[in-house]
Amino acid sequence: MSNRIRRVRSRAGWEIPESRVTPEGAAFPRRMILGAAASLAGGGMLGRAAAATPAPGFDPGRPLTLAEDATTYNNFYEFGTDKDIWQAAQRLPLSPWTIEIAGLVKTPRRIAIDDLVRQVPLQDRVYRHRCVEAWAMTVPWTGFPLSALLDIAEPTGSAKYVVFQTLADPKVMPGLGQSWYPWPYTEGLTIAEAHNDLAFIATGLYGKPLLPQNGGPIRLVTPWKYGFKSAKSLVRISFTEKRPSTFWEAIASNEYGFWANVNPAVPHPRWSQASERLIGTDERVPTQIYNGYGSYVAGLYAGMSNERLFM
Ligand code: MTE
């Protein structure tokens, strides 16, 4: 049994009721999800997850993406630039795994992932997932609020940004041979963004521990931003006063900015962001500002009109 998928009940306005997003046959059969959860997390937890009450306020209006699609159509450039890197990613050893907590914190240190998950409230969250390439999914993560990690890290008062770094191991990641990319994959959030309720650290997907191709064993999830902000397979979380240089911004800052909030009205220089293709279906649906989470996050950006918030 892994602690990483232990569950507690969560209830918030952004929570997508499972009854809404799981029409029969649209995802893993429900019995299979719950069965996996039971074998991994113990029956006691299961009841709570299954009974989580739908919260008002946010309805995705679309079914869960099939687990098979979400785990075989991926972006993980460390393993290659194609979408079908899932087999190559199996070389990533997920255990043991430690995370370095560094920079402007009370006590820089390393934490083993199992010690970390014992200290946090694990929850299930169904989120929309919107890539800058204009495809989208709806997926059920397990994990914990990023704010819980901040509480553990204890950043000092001078910290303004959280910086997320992915593993960069050329022994298992053939993509690192493409030396023109600014490895390691690095992303960043402001401290205020990191404290937002939606900012999430995932350790599971579809009721199972996160697979390598989805950023196992631990990744960031910021559903109001384009997917490239959600750095995978985290090995270092540091705190800085200066805004970090992030992977895609360093490659093409006019195409992929630091803020990268989803906005249908701000096109990518080479394509429209007005709609998105739902993976596993032939459907295109209109994109929503902040990926539909504006009521939870728009306030973070009040008065920031000088910044390119949506690219
Ligand atoms: N993290 C790392 N380390 N490397 C990557 O190439 N791709 C990003 C993001 N995190 C990426 C990454 C992009 S562009 C997207 S859309 C999401 O991961 C895709 O996550 P998924 O494969 O789980 O859907």
Side-chain angles (χ1 to χ4, degrees):
M1 168 189 153
S2 167
N3 273 324
R4 285 174 213 163
I5 57 148
R6 186 168 39 92
R7 285 166 165 66
V8 297
R9 177 177 177 149
S10 67
R11 211 195 307 193
W14 37 257
E15 201 175 14
I16 302 173
E18 235 192 284
S19 56
R20 285 257 176 71
V21 294
T22 318
E24 220 167 330
F28 274 160
R30 185 171 174 78
R31 217 174 295 118
M32 203 160 133
I33 299 176
L34 298 181
S39 60
L40 290 158
M45 299 300 184
L46 189 65
R48 272 172 280 171
T53 312
F58 185 69
D59 181 348
R62 66 196 200 197
L64 274 189
T65 301
L66 281 171
E68 193 190 326
D69 290 328
T71 56
T72 57
Y73 185 94
N74 301 101
N75 272 334
F76 203 161
Y77 273 46
E78 286 84 338
F79 292 99
T81 53
D82 295 333
K83 295 287 178 283
D84 62 353
I85 53 73
W86 68 273
Q87 278 163 312
Q90 303 313 308
R91 292 180 63 200
L92 178 66
L94 301 186
S95 175
W97 193 276
T98 52
I99 295 181
E100 183 185 356
I101 294 184
L104 301 172
V105 290
K106 200 166 150 195
T107 316
R109 62 191 189 281
R110 304 186 70 89
I111 304 188
I113 185 173
D114 292 329
D115 289 342
L116 176 62
V117 296
R118 254 179 241 125
Q119 299 174 50
V120 293
L122 285 178
Q123 309 171 347
D124 295 323
R125 294 191 183 184
V126 176
Y127 277 166
R128 291 167 182 264
H129 177 42
R130 170 57 156 89
C131 181
V132 72
E133 297 165 335
W135 55 261
M137 303 189 187
T138 310
V139 294
W141 304 105
T142 302
F144 54 92
L146 175 56
S147 64
L149 182 56
L150 266 56
D151 291 345
I152 292 168
E154 296 185 282
T156 64
S158 50
K160 293 198 173 69
Y161 296 91
V162 195
V163 186
F164 302 86
Q165 249 172 45
T166 297
L167 179 74
D169 181 353
K171 289 196 294 296
V172 295
M173 296 171 148
L176 299 187
Q178 302 192 304
S179 55
W180 53 93
Y181 285 119
W183 313 112
Y185 197 100
T186 302
E187 260 307 336
L189 298 173
T190 63
I191 294 281
E193 288 178 321
H195 273 297
N196 187 274
D197 229 12
L198 286 172
F200 201 61
I201 296 287
T203 55
L205 187 61
Y206 295 92
K208 296 181 176 174
L210 208 51
L211 294 170
Q213 60 269 37
N214 293 104
I218 185 163
R219 74 177 290 176
L220 177 64
V221 182
T222 48
W224 71 100
K225 293 179 176 284
Y226 291 117
F228 68 83
K229 295 294 291 183
S230 296
K232 294 180 164 182
S233 304
L234 300 173
V235 290
R236 189 171 194 268
I237 293 167
S238 58
F239 295 82
T240 60
E241 216 172 331
K242 198 172 151 260
R243 191 162 112 182
S245 168
T246 51
F247 186 83
W248 283 105
E249 189 185 24
I251 293 166
S253 64
N254 61 326
E255 300 190 12
Y256 314 101
F258 175 80
W259 299 100
N261 295 308
V262 174
N263 189 339
V266 179
H268 182 277
R270 291 180 281 129
W271 59 83
S272 165
Q273 296 290 22
S275 67
E276 58 207 47
R277 180 171 58 96
L278 296 181
I279 294 300
T281 75
D282 295 329
E283 231 183 309
R284 275 202 96 84
V285 298
T287 290
Q288 300 179 57
I289 189 158
Y290 295 110
N291 204 19
Y293 298 101
S295 56
Y296 310 102
V297 296
L300 289 167
Y301 309 102
M304 288 176 60
S305 52
N306 291 336
E307 297 284 341
R308 289 193 312 156
L309 291 172
F310 301 105
M311 184 175 280

